[in-house]
Amino acid sequence: LDVRAEQGLTQAEARRRLAIHGANALRTSKRRSDWSILIDQFRNLLTLLLAVATALSIGMGEIAEGAAIIAVILFNGVIGFIAERKAVASIEALRRLGTTTTKVRRDGAVGTLPAEDLVPGDIILLGAGDVVTADARLVTASGLQCDESLLTGESAPVAKSPQPVAEDAILAERSCMVFKGASVSRGSAEAVVVSTGGTTELGRISKLVEEAEDEVTPLEKRLARMSRQLIWVALAIAAIVLAVGLASGRDAVLMLKTGIALAVAAIPEGLPIVATLALSRGMWRLARRNALVERLSAVETLGAVTVIFTDKTGTLTENRMTVTELSTPGGRAAFTEAEADLSSVDPGLAGRAAHVLALCVSAELRAGQSAAEIGDPMERALVQAAGKLGVAIEAGAQIGEEAFDPQSRMMAALHRNDAGLLITVKGAPEAVLERAEFIAQGAGDRPIADADRAEWLEATRQLAAEGRRVLALADRRAEAADGDPYQGLSFLGLVALEDPPRGDAREAVEAAQRAGIRVVMITGDNAVTGAAIARAVGLTDEDDIAVVEGKELCRPDDMSDADRRRYLETRVFARVSPEQKLDLISLYQQAGEIVAMTGDGVNDAPALKKADIGVAMGLRGTQIAREASDIVLKDDAFASIIAAVRQGRVIFRNIRSFVFY
C-alpha cells in the first residue's frame, strides 16, 4: 500500500487515490417513486385482459359497459397505490441516513474526515464506540474487541490482534482485520485501510443483494395462471358461439357481437378489486401490529409460507449479554432479570467475586458508565451482575489496568480501597486456572491442586455445552503497584453469560409449528450456541441437535440426493456465509417450499431479497437489510411474523372463495 503508519498518506496522494478508487460509499437502492408504485398496480395479466375487454366493449358500441370496466381498473389501481405509498413512506422513515466521520493520520497529523473520503492506504485510528468505516488490516492494537454481529451473526465481541491468521480463514476468524460496518466495543488500534466502498466485505454483500432475484409471490403466480386460463376460456366461448351461430344460419355480424359479448362477460371484472381490498385491509391491520408491508402481494405470501428461516442474534435472542449464574468454591448464585439468588452461595466469596465483576472493567466503561453504547456488552453485563450482588462500579479507585491481551486471554485491574491494594482478574478459564496458585475458601484460601483445576475445567465445558460464554474470576492483595499482576492469584470461580432468548420467541415458534410451518435457524454464530438457543425457543426437543456448519455445506452443483435430504431435515445451520444462505433458500424453493427469511444484519440482506418473503427488523435492523425486505417489523418481535402469517391465510381464503364464486 506504499504508506508508513507513523506518517500516513499525503493529502495529494490521498486525492490521487480517491480519483482512482472512488468514494468509500455503498450503492443504495433507489426509493420507489410514486409513478413506479402507480404503474405497478396495472402491470398484471388480469388488468390487461380487462383492458382488452374495454376496447371490445367500446368497439361494439357498449359505452356503458366499457366505462364500467375502466372504472374498475382505475378504482383498483387507486386503492393499491394508496396502500403501498403509505407503506413505502413509513419504511423510508426508518432508513436513517447520516454522514459518518473517522480519525485519519495524513501528513503525520491526526484529523477527522468524512468516511466517504477514505482511500486504500489511509491510516485510521479506532477507539471504543467507533464504527469501522472501511476494511482495514491492524497495525497496532491494545485490548481491541469488535462487535461484528451485523456481518457474521457472532453475538459476542471478537478479540482482535495484529498477529497474522491463516490465508483461508473464514470472515469470523480473521482476527487481524476490522471490517466496514463493525463497531469497536473496547480497546484501541491503528489500522491501514485495504478496501473501500464496493470492494469491502460489506460492499460484496451489497452486490449479492443486487444480484439476488426477487421472487414472484404465490398470489401473483396463481392470479397470472388463472388469467391465462380465462383468456383461453373467453376465446373458446367466442369461437364456439360464432361457429354454432354460423352453422345454424344466423347473421354473421350478430353472432360475432354475441360471441364477443359472452367472452367479455366471462372475465371477472370484480376480482382485482376484491383481491386489492383484501390485501389492503390486511396491510393496514398488520401496520397496527407493528409490521410494515411494502408490497400488497407480500401480505398473502406470508399466508402461504411453509418454512421460516430465522436469524438467531436479535431475532430469536435479545442481542445483549446477561449473566445467568456465578459458580464459586462456596456454592452457586443464580441470576434473574431483576436480582441474584444468594441462598446457595457463601456470602464472603460472592462478595469477592462481585468486586471483580465491578472493578475489572475497561477504562472506557468506567469513564462512561451511564452510556449504553460505551464498552464491551459483556463487561456491561458483568457490572450489572455486580450491582445485583450489591457492589457498584465506583467501589475503589482504579490506579492501574492491564488491558485484555488475546495472547494471555486475561485482563487485570489494580484498585486502592480501605483495605489497601486489590488486584482483580478475569479471563478465559483455562488461562486463569493455569496462573492461579490458590483457590478461595470461606475460612481462608488454600493452595490449588491439579484435581481442582480439572474439576473447574469440566464445569467450564458443561456450561459451554449449554451455549454460554464462561469467564473465570480471581483476585489477590498486593503490597505494591508494580510487578506481575497475574502472580499469586486466588481462583474465585466462574461466571456464565448468554444472549437470552426473546421472551415471546418460544410461544411464537410453537404457534408456527402448530400452523404446519417449519422454523429453521440460520446463524453465523457457533454450533454450540445455535443448538442451545434452538432448544431454548422450542425449535426441537432433541438433547443432541444435529447442527450443520457452513464448512460442511456443499455447493448446489456438488450436492448429492443424500445431501439435499439432510439439509432439508436440518433445523440449525451455523457459521453460514451470505452465499450459503442463498444456496439454502434456493434448495428449499426447488423442493416446493414457500420460504420466509427473517434477519437484521447486513449478512442477512441477500437472503432477505432471495426469499419468497423477506422480513427485516426495524429496531436493530440495518438499512441494507430493510431495503432488501418485503416486510419490516417495527418491534423486532418474532411473534409479529406469526400474526402476519395468520392474517395472510385469512386473506388467501377470502380471495379463493371469491374466485370459486
Side-chain angles (χ1 to χ4, degrees):
L1 293 164
D2 193 24
V3 63
R4 290 167 51 211
E6 63 274 12
Q7 184 69 21
L9 296 174
T10 64
Q11 293 291 354
E13 176 63 14
R15 285 193 295 271
R16 189 185 73 83
R17 296 189 185 191
L18 186 62
I20 295 173
H21 297 282
N24 176 35
L26 302 179
R27 291 177 58 186
T28 56
S29 60
K30 293 182 179 179
R31 177 189 178 277
R32 291 177 69 196
S33 66
D34 291 350
W35 182 251
S36 172
I37 297 171
L38 182 62
I39 292 297
D40 284 345
Q41 308 309 313
F42 305 102
R43 194 175 291 166
N44 60 75
L45 194 56
L46 192 56
T47 301
L48 177 62
L49 197 58
L50 291 176
V52 172
T54 302
L56 291 174
S57 297
I58 295 175
M60 293 170 55
E62 299 290 344
I63 304 301
E65 174 79 5
I69 301 177
I70 290 175
V72 165
I73 295 174
L74 293 178
F75 184 60
N76 179 65
V78 169
I79 293 174
F81 172 79
I82 292 172
E84 289 198 19
R85 177 65 185 81
K86 185 176 181 180
V88 169
S90 299
I91 290 172
E92 284 296 324
L94 287 172
R95 295 174 180 167
R96 298 179 296 274
L97 298 175
T99 301
T100 306
T101 59
T102 191
K103 290 182 181 178
V104 184
R105 180 180 293 124
R106 286 184 179 174
D107 289 320
V110 175
T112 301
L113 290 177
E116 290 83 354
D117 293 343
L118 285 181
V119 296
D122 262 327
I123 304 299
I124 59 174
L125 286 72
L126 301 171
D130 288 346
V131 175
V132 183
T133 51
D135 287 4
R137 174 66 161 82
L138 292 175
V139 178
T140 64
S142 175
L144 185 69
Q145 292 189 356
C146 291
D147 180 356
E148 298 178 346
S149 59
L150 295 181
L151 282 169
T152 66
E154 181 77 58
S155 56
V158 181
K160 296 291 185 176
S161 165
Q163 297 300 316
V165 298
E167 192 172 343
D168 59 351
I170 63 174
L171 184 67
E173 296 174 358
R174 297 177 197 169
S175 57
C176 59
M177 294 286 297
V178 290
F179 301 102
K180 184 177 178 69
S183 59
V184 179
S185 54
R186 60 162 296 169
S188 60
E190 290 187 9
V192 57
V193 174
V194 297
S195 299
T196 59
T199 60
T200 62
E201 290 294 326
L202 193 62
R204 187 176 62 83
I205 294 174
S206 297
K207 187 176 180 182
L208 284 177
V209 176
E210 292 178 5
E211 293 174 350
E213 297 179 358
D214 282 321
E215 292 295 315
V216 179
T217 70
L219 178 64
E220 290 168 334
K221 291 176 183 176
R222 291 187 181 101
L223 290 180
R225 184 172 62 245
M226 192 182 71
S227 298
R228 289 192 297 269
Q229 293 168 345
L230 283 174
I231 289 174
W232 290 110
V233 168
L235 292 175
I237 289 173
I240 291 172
V241 169
L242 179 61
V244 171
L246 292 175
S248 59
R250 303 279 183 170
D251 179 68
V253 175
L254 177 61
M255 285 298 96
L256 181 60
K257 286 186 175 182
T258 303
I260 292 174
L262 290 174
V264 170
I267 298 171
E269 293 92 338
L271 180 58
I273 286 184
V274 170
T276 302
L277 283 174
L279 294 173
S280 299
R281 181 169 176 264
M283 175 184 281
W284 291 329
R285 289 180 64 178
L286 287 175
R288 290 198 295 269
R289 287 292 307 270
N290 293 315
L292 299 177
V293 184
E294 191 161 6
R295 287 192 306 155
L296 280 178
S297 54
V299 180
E300 184 272 342
T301 306
L302 268 173
V305 161
T306 57
V307 174
I308 296 178
F309 280 172
T310 177
D311 183 38
K312 177 186 72 68
T313 306
T315 306
L316 292 176
T317 68
E318 296 182 1
N319 196 21
R320 65 178 180 87
M321 300 298 289
T322 183
V323 172
T324 58
E325 71 174 74
L326 168 67
S327 296
T328 73
R332 172 181 172 275
F335 289 79
T336 65
E337 194 69 30
E339 60 182 3
D341 180 4
L342 303 178
S343 60
S344 302
V345 66
D346 181 285
L349 294 184
R352 287 174 64 180
H355 276 83
V356 178
L357 297 177
L359 302 179
C360 193
V361 295
S362 63
E364 293 92 348
L365 183 61
R366 299 184 65 81
Q369 303 154 19
S370 61
E373 70 277 6
I374 298 295
D376 187 329
M378 181 191 69
E379 290 198 335
R380 295 201 301 271
L382 296 178
V383 171
Q384 290 170 359
K388 295 174 185 177
L389 293 170
V391 178
I393 190 173
E394 293 86 357
Q398 181 170 319
I399 60 175
E401 176 183 329
E402 187 80 17
F404 178 84
D405 181 0
Q407 303 302 316
S408 68
R409 298 189 295 163
M410 293 185 290
M411 77 165 290
L414 179 63
H415 287 76
R416 187 185 302 280
N417 57 24
D418 296 340
L421 294 179
L422 174 66
I423 293 178
T424 55
V425 174
K426 73 170 185 283
E430 298 85 351
V432 174
L433 283 165
E434 183 181 351
R435 296 299 301 270
E437 297 179 18
F438 303 92
I439 188 166
Q441 299 288 306
D445 300 353
R446 64 171 174 80
I448 193 169
D450 289 342
D452 296 319
R453 291 189 175 93
E455 177 185 347
W456 285 100
L457 286 174
E458 178 59 29
T460 299
R461 282 190 287 271
Q462 290 178 2
L463 289 169
E466 296 172 3
R468 303 193 224 184
R469 188 170 186 185
V470 187
L471 293 174
L473 310 177
D475 69 1
R476 75 173 173 93
R477 290 290 171 185
E479 299 296 330
D482 55 355
D484 183 358
Y486 303 124
Q487 195 171 27
L489 295 176
S490 290
F491 178 77
L492 296 175
L494 304 173
V495 60
L497 305 95
E498 68 177 7
D499 180 9
R502 293 179 65 96
D504 55 2
R506 187 178 186 91
E507 182 181 350
V509 168
E510 290 174 350
Q513 292 172 337
R514 286 195 301 272
I517 301 170
R518 292 185 62 206
V519 181
V520 179
M521 181 195 297
I522 300 184
T523 178
D525 218 328
N526 63 68
V528 172
T529 303
I533 294 297
R535 282 191 292 268
V537 301
L539 278 184
T540 177
D541 295 328
E542 301 172 18
D543 292 331
D544 187 19
I545 301 175
V547 180
V548 173
E549 294 195 62
K551 61 186 178 183
E552 304 173 43
L553 285 171
C554 305
R555 293 287 302 163
D557 296 340
D558 300 328
M559 285 184 192
S560 65
D561 290 340
D563 290 330
R564 289 187 174 87
R565 285 194 298 271
R566 179 190 175 202
Y567 300 154
L568 290 172
E569 293 171 359
T570 298
R571 290 300 183 95
V572 180
F573 294 91
R575 293 290 196 202
V576 178
S577 70
E579 294 93 338
Q580 289 171 329
K581 290 181 182 181
L582 289 177
D583 293 341
L584 286 171
I585 288 175
S586 295
L587 174 65
Y588 274 75
Q589 288 173 334
Q590 290 166 9
E593 306 285 1
I594 307 298
V595 179
M597 172 75 194
T598 75
D600 60 353
V602 172
N603 60 320
D604 299 318
L608 288 168
K609 186 175 181 182
K610 171 65 177 172
D612 295 290
I613 188 83
V615 184
M617 304 296 136
L619 294 177
R620 293 188 176 94
T622 58
Q623 177 190 338
I624 193 171
R626 291 194 292 267
E627 287 180 347
S629 300
D630 303 294
I631 293 178
V632 176
L633 301 182
K634 290 196 292 185
D635 58 358
D636 287 11
F638 190 80
S640 295
I641 302 171
I642 307 307
V645 170
R646 186 177 296 113
Q647 183 63 30
R649 291 189 173 185
V650 170
I651 289 167
F652 177 68
R653 283 198 299 270
N654 288 343
I655 294 175
R656 185 172 57 183
S657 296
F658 183 79
V659 168
F660 179 74
Y661 168 77

